[in-house]
Amino acid sequence: MTEPLVEKPYVEDITLSEIKPTETPSTPPFFYVYFMISSFLLFRFLKNLFQIFRLTKQKSKRVGKLKLITITDSDLVSSFFNFMFIPKNQVLSDNDYLSIITHETIHYKELHTIDILFIELLNCVLWFNPFMWLYKKAILQNHEFLADEKSILSGIDIENYSNSIINLGQKEYRVPLTSGFNFIQIKNRIIMLHKSKSSVLKQTLKIGTVLVLFAGIIMLSSYKDLKEPIVVVIDAGHGGKDSGNITDVKEKEIILEISNLLTSYSNEKIQIIPTRASDEFISLNQRSEIVNKANADLMISLHCNSHNDNSVNGVEAYYKDDNENKDTSYKYSKVLIENKFNVFSKSRGIKVANFHLLQNVNCPAIYLELGFLSNKEDKAILTDRSKREDIAKSIFESLNKIRSSK
C-alpha cells in the first residue's frame, strides 16, 4: 500500500547580504561652536566673580547693613550682596550719599544679586537665544525701578533723589555682576519716579474692568462651542438589489464608502446617522422614517450621476422649493456646492426637484450628485479611494460651516 503524497510547504529562498558595520555619526560642528562660546562665557563669569571676591577682601567701613569699600576699578557706585563699592575719586553731597545708601540697601534686602548671578549663569548656557539677553536687561532695569520706588517710599525727597540720579548717571563702566545706582537708563527712571500712583479704588476698578473684558472675550470666542450639536442623516443612495448607475463600477459601492467615511467623523458637535452601513436594500419609505425618527436637523442623500453626453461633469445639489424648509435647504445646498468638496473642478449649481425623500422628511433635505460616472474625469475621482476620502472630509467641513451658521 503506497502512502499518500503530501504536498511540501513552499519555502522561499532568502539570500542574506553582507552585514556592514554601522558608522557612528560624527558630532555636529555646531556642538563645538556652542561648547566654545559657552566655555568662554562661563570663564568670564568665574573671572568676574573672582574679581568681586578680591574686592571684598579690601578694607571696609560699615554703614548700617552695608560694608563700604573704596575702589579704583570702576567709576560707578554698585553693590554685591551687602558689599557697596564706591569709586575713590567720587565726591558725594549729603543728599547723594543718602540716596545711594538707601538705594543699595534695598538691593541687598531684596537679594537682587542672586537674580543677577542666576541670569548670568543662564546666559552662559542659553547665549544663542536673543530673548535671554533682553530678559537680562529687563531684570536689571526692574531692579533699579524697585529700588527707586522703595527709596522714595522710605521718605527721601523725590526731587533730591532725581537730581542724584542725574548727577551720578553719566558714567559707563561698572564692576560686573553688581547692582548699581546709576547704570540704568536715567530717563526711564525719572519717568517712573514721577509717575502718579493710582489709588486703591482706582486700581481695583482697572483690574475689575480688565477681568470683565477678559471674561467677555472668552465667552465670545467660545460661543460656537456652546452651540447645541446638530443631527445629520447621511443617506447612502441605492444598495442591495438597487445598484444605481453602473459602468464598470457600481454607484451603490462608491456612495456607501463615502457615507461610511462621513459617519466615522461623527462627534459631539455633529452627530452623523447613516441610513445604511452595508450593502442592503432599504426602501424610500424606510429611509424617510429613519430621518424623521432621528429628529434630524439635515438630511443629505448621496448619489453619483450619469449622462448620455460623456462631456457632462461636475457636482449638483437638489432641494424642494415648496415646503417650510425650502430656504434653509437652499442655504445649506449653497454651502455644499460652493465648497465643491475640494475635489471636483466644476459645479453645476443648485436645482429644484420633487424626489421622494425631499417630500417626505420633516427637516431641510438635499440630494447631492457627486459627479458623473459617465464622465472620464469625474469617474477617475470617484474610483480613487483617496479622492473619496477627500470628498467625505470636504462634506464634513461644510457641515461644520452649516453648524456655525445656525
Side-chain angles (χ1 to χ4, degrees):
M1 182 176 179
T2 60
E3 296 183 1
L5 295 175
V6 179
E7 185 179 355
K8 295 182 180 180
Y10 172 71
V11 179
E12 183 180 359
D13 291 334
I14 300 175
T15 304
L16 297 177
S17 60
E18 182 182 356
I19 299 176
K20 297 181 180 181
T22 303
E23 296 182 1
T24 305
S26 58
T27 306
F30 173 76
F31 174 79
Y32 295 108
V33 176
Y34 170 82
F35 180 77
M36 289 175 61
I37 296 177
S38 294
S39 298
F40 170 77
L41 293 175
L42 184 60
F43 173 76
R44 188 184 67 172
F45 172 80
L46 295 175
K47 179 184 176 183
N48 292 333
L49 199 59
F50 175 76
Q51 178 186 357
I52 291 176
F53 282 131
R54 182 171 56 83
L55 292 174
T56 60
K57 300 301 181 182
Q58 297 182 18
K59 185 178 179 181
S60 63
K61 174 185 176 183
R62 181 170 288 276
V63 177
K65 295 183 178 181
L66 299 178
K67 294 181 180 179
L68 272 61
I69 299 176
T70 303
I71 60 171
T72 58
D73 297 51
S74 172
D75 294 329
L76 294 177
V77 177
S78 56
S79 63
F80 183 83
F81 288 107
N82 66 328
F83 293 96
M84 176 175 164
F85 306 111
I86 298 181
K88 186 175 182 179
N89 59 351
Q90 185 78 65
V91 179
L92 300 174
S93 66
D94 292 340
N95 288 332
D96 292 345
Y97 185 78
L98 178 61
S99 297
I100 290 172
I101 293 295
T102 305
H103 184 96
E104 301 301 334
T105 300
I106 292 169
H107 279 312
Y108 163 63
K109 288 181 178 180
E110 297 293 324
L111 299 177
H112 289 166
T113 301
I114 293 178
D115 292 344
I116 293 173
L117 292 174
F118 176 74
I119 193 64
E120 287 287 351
L121 273 174
L122 209 56
N123 271 342
C124 291
V125 180
L126 302 175
W127 53 265
F128 53 87
N129 187 343
F131 291 102
M132 289 305 302
W133 299 95
L134 296 174
Y135 184 55
K136 172 185 174 182
K137 181 179 179 181
I139 284 180
L140 293 175
Q141 181 167 279
N142 191 52
H143 284 174
E144 300 310 312
F145 289 158
L146 290 173
D148 289 341
E149 182 181 21
K150 292 192 176 184
S151 296
I152 296 303
L153 292 176
S154 69
I156 296 179
D157 181 73
I158 189 170
E159 297 301 330
N160 291 334
Y161 191 86
S162 300
N163 290 331
S164 296
I165 292 177
I166 296 171
N167 295 335
L168 301 173
Q170 308 301 322
K171 309 296 182 180
E172 296 181 358
Y173 179 75
R174 69 180 177 92
V175 176
L177 307 181
T178 60
S179 299
F181 180 80
N182 49 356
F183 57 82
I184 292 295
Q185 296 96 325
I186 298 173
K187 180 180 178 181
N188 290 349
R189 290 174 66 186
I190 297 297
I191 291 172
M192 290 295 290
L193 278 175
H194 291 267
K195 188 177 180 181
S196 60
K197 305 296 180 182
S198 300
S199 65
V200 174
L201 177 60
K202 189 176 179 181
Q203 195 70 18
T204 303
L205 288 173
K206 285 183 178 179
I207 294 173
T209 303
V210 170
L211 289 176
V212 170
L213 289 173
F214 184 70
I217 291 170
I218 293 223
M219 288 182 66
L220 288 173
S221 63
S222 59
Y223 173 72
K224 291 182 181 179
D225 293 332
L226 295 176
K227 290 186 176 182
E228 292 183 0
I230 62 171
V231 177
V232 181
V233 174
I234 298 297
D235 172 48
H238 311 289
K241 63 182 181 181
D242 179 11
S243 298
N245 290 311
I246 302 175
T247 52
D248 54 337
V249 292
K250 298 178 180 179
E251 177 186 357
K252 66 174 184 177
E253 295 173 352
I254 295 172
I255 293 304
L256 179 61
E257 183 176 349
I258 294 174
S259 174
N260 287 339
L261 285 168
L262 260 171
T263 305
S264 69
Y265 302 146
S266 180
N267 57 33
E268 69 279 359
K269 298 177 183 178
I270 300 175
Q271 182 183 354
I272 296 178
I273 300 173
T275 54
R276 67 182 180 97
S278 60
D279 185 16
E280 59 178 320
F281 176 78
I282 302 176
S283 69
L284 293 176
N285 287 332
Q286 289 174 314
R287 294 171 191 263
S288 59
E289 286 179 9
I290 292 172
V291 176
N292 293 332
K293 285 182 179 179
N295 195 25
D297 297 290
L298 173 64
M299 187 278 295
I300 301 176
S301 186
L302 302 179
H303 296 267
C304 295
N305 219 330
S306 184
H307 200 281
N308 293 331
D309 184 353
N310 294 341
S311 64
V312 176
N313 70 324
V315 294
E316 298 175 326
Y318 292 86
Y319 80 107
K320 187 171 176 59
D321 69 344
D322 60 355
N323 59 28
E324 61 181 6
N325 294 312
K326 62 179 182 179
D327 292 336
T328 307
S329 297
Y330 177 80
K331 182 175 73 171
Y332 293 169
S333 297
K334 190 175 180 181
V335 173
L336 288 159
I337 288 296
E338 284 179 351
N339 207 14
K340 293 184 187 177
F341 321 120
N342 293 331
V343 179
F344 295 93
S345 60
K346 182 179 179 181
S347 167
R348 289 172 54 83
I350 304 170
K351 303 178 181 180
V352 175
N354 290 316
F355 299 136
H356 183 278
L357 282 182
L358 297 182
Q359 298 183 66
N360 291 278
V361 296
N362 301 326
C363 65
I366 302 167
Y367 259 61
L368 276 184
E369 294 286 356
L370 304 175
F372 286 72
L373 287 173
S374 53
N375 176 264
K376 183 178 180 181
E377 179 184 346
D378 284 0
K379 181 182 176 182
I381 293 171
L382 292 166
T383 54
D384 185 329
R385 177 161 297 185
S386 65
K387 295 294 184 182
R388 291 198 290 265
E389 186 170 351
D390 290 339
I391 293 171
K393 287 180 179 178
S394 183
I395 294 175
F396 189 74
E397 289 174 7
S398 297
L399 293 179
N400 274 307
K401 293 179 181 179
I402 288 172
R403 177 177 179 268
S404 300
S405 67
K406 282 178 66 69

